[in-house]
Amino acid sequence: MRVAIVGAGALGSVYGARLALRAGCEVQIVARPGVAVPAAHIERADGSGEAPLDWRPREPVPVIPSDADVALVCVRYEQLDSVVPIAQGGHTPLVFLTPMLPQDHARLGAALRGRVVPAMPSAIAYRRDD
């Protein structure tokens, strides 16, 4: 399965690493031009004993690839509208892990021809730069 991840912050990095390394998905990060996507070192903080994941994503692309089976949108709330231009012209379902208000869902759904799928993340993540 080909998965595009829009946003390479804490949540996007966790989903990208887990999908690539645990589920065998082909993962492509979508980020603004000039944004460097660092390697991710993912550890569970719940004491489960699960081995850490180290993942180095491919070079990011500026738009959602046309051959992506699904795109996970992991942007900050104030960046929701930035998804419209990078998803225009495609048919890929867009699973928004960013919480939205009803007016956001209506606006994005109209702009993206009903491809918006609201979801709730099942992972909570934070990024430590050290």
Side-chain angles (χ1 to χ4, degrees), residues 39-109:
H41 177 77
I42 312 294
E43 294 182 28
R44 289 190 62 132
D46 65 1
S48 70
E50 183 178 309
L53 298 175
D54 288 301
W55 180 57
R56 178 165 295 284
R58 299 183 313 187
E59 189 67 27
V61 296
V63 297
I64 295 171
S66 61
D67 64 348
D69 296 308
V70 65
L72 301 182
V73 179
C74 305
V75 299
R76 294 190 310 261
Y77 177 80
E78 64 272 13
Q79 296 173 325
L80 283 172
D81 290 321
S82 70
V83 176
V84 174
I86 65 171
Q88 288 289 7
H91 302 290
T92 304
L94 306 166
V95 179
F96 279 76
L97 298 172
T98 304
M100 292 185 279
L101 296 171
Q103 63 266 27
D104 302 317
H105 184 268
R107 183 181 69 254
L108 292 167

